[in-house]
Amino acid sequence: AQSVAQPEDQVNVAEGNPLTVKCTYSVSGNPYLFWYVQYPNRGLQFLLKYITGDNLVKGSYGFEAEFNKSQTSFHLKKPSALVSDSALYFCAVRGLNDYKLSFGAGTTVTVRA
Amino acid sequence: NAGVTQTPKFQVLKTGQSMTLQCAQDMNHEYMSWYRQDPGMGLRLIHYSVGAGITDQGEVPNGYNVSRSTTEDFPLRLLSAAPSQTSVYFCASSFFGQNTGELFFGEGSRLTVL
């Protein structure tokens, strides 16, 4: 069975500092990996995805993620965090021929001014 | 574009009652899915569909029923509500194939079962 782990419930950073949100996954075969963001009382919004190719994926709002096959990780990064990046972030995975998307428990990011 | 529309946004039920959460999308997406979100547990897949007439179970299907008679609509039925079904429910859709997983979400439906 596929699964996603987000080891940190909360990440706190100062505005302007780098932001990293960690994600590790388990799936049979090659993974399709995704990051989503949820602002308070809203639905989730797609940020970026990895399917194949370059291990560094760029997405919306200045976010990027690095796929590491040997460590089965897909960490989300932003070089300079903004207060408006404060939200709940979810990592998700599915297998190549599996259309069930599995989500992690989420990481709450707080960026202080 | 309306995107993914869920109704109702809020609902309170008594144990044993039934209800249907409606979901409609106007993006011609083949893939549609229902998730529930509970604190500390992320999103868990209830049911999904890869096209009209085709549905399948996700991680937590018990107590829920779905049908997909058209591409646009994917209603979720609670057959006999239980307090454990108190949750926020999200409908999501995407194109089918390599882009499955690049989901568009509705705003959510908050359900309380007393």
Side-chain angles (χ1 to χ4, degrees):
Chain A
Q2 61 196 35
S3 64
V4 171
Q6 293 182 240
E8 299 158 318
D9 291 336
Q10 291 204 351
V11 170
N12 299 307
V13 298
E15 189 172 35
N17 281 2
L19 169 63
T20 298
V21 186
K22 295 178 181 177
C23 169
T24 59
Y25 67 90
S26 173
V27 71
S28 179
N30 292 329
Y32 285 5
L33 293 155
F34 305 84
W35 275 102
Y36 286 85
V37 60
Q38 185 179 32
Y39 298 102
N41 300 313
R42 302 294 301 275
L44 280 72
Q45 297 177 30
F46 169 79
L47 276 179
L48 51 78
K49 67 181 179 186
Y50 171 84
I51 294 177
T52 187
D54 195 350
N55 289 344
L56 185 63
V57 179
K58 295 189 183 298
S60 305
Y61 312 121
F63 283 94
E64 56 190 29
E66 186 166 12
F67 170 64
N68 187 317
K69 188 172 184 177
S70 63
Q71 297 185 4
T72 61
S73 67
F74 189 56
H75 301 329
L76 182 70
K77 301 179 181 182
K78 187 170 185 180
S80 179
L82 301 172
V83 172
S84 57
D85 293 328
S86 298
L88 181 57
Y89 291 80
F90 290 98
C91 182
V93 68
R94 74 168 178 93
L96 187 64
N97 295 311
D98 187 347
Y99 299 101
K100 300 177 184 178
L101 192 64
S102 297
F103 283 80
T107 299
T108 299
V109 170
T110 301
V111 182
R112 61 186 184 277
Chain B
N1 280 342
V4 178
T5 303
Q6 290 182 234
T7 56
K9 288 187 169 25
F10 301 93
Q11 183 73 50
V12 179
L13 291 178
K14 294 181 180 178
T15 296
Q17 288 185 315
S18 62
M19 77 159 297
T20 299
L21 297 176
Q22 301 291 346
C23 176
Q25 53 89 12
D26 62 358
M27 296 172 283
N28 205 27
H29 286 164
E30 302 94 342
Y31 182 90
M32 296 187 74
S33 54
W34 277 102
Y35 287 87
R36 58 178 289 173
Q37 182 178 19
D38 302 290
M41 302 189 74
L43 280 83
R44 291 180 291 169
L45 181 64
I46 304 171
H47 285 286
Y48 69 100
S49 168
V50 298
I54 305 169
T55 63
D56 207 346
Q57 296 181 349
E59 301 170 67
V60 288
N62 292 340
Y64 306 95
N65 208 353
V66 292
S67 60
R68 185 93 181 268
S69 56
T70 67
T71 299
E72 295 78 17
D73 300 300
F74 191 46
L76 178 71
R77 297 181 184 84
L78 279 70
L79 308 172
S80 177
S84 61
Q85 294 179 304
T86 293
S87 187
V88 180
Y89 292 84
F90 287 99
C91 180
S93 70
S94 77
F95 290 110
F96 180 63
Q98 194 175 58
N99 286 326
T100 299
E102 192 173 329
L103 296 170
F104 291 77
F105 280 82
E107 292 288 301
S109 299
R110 185 175 294 274
L111 174 67
T112 301
V113 182
L114 303 175

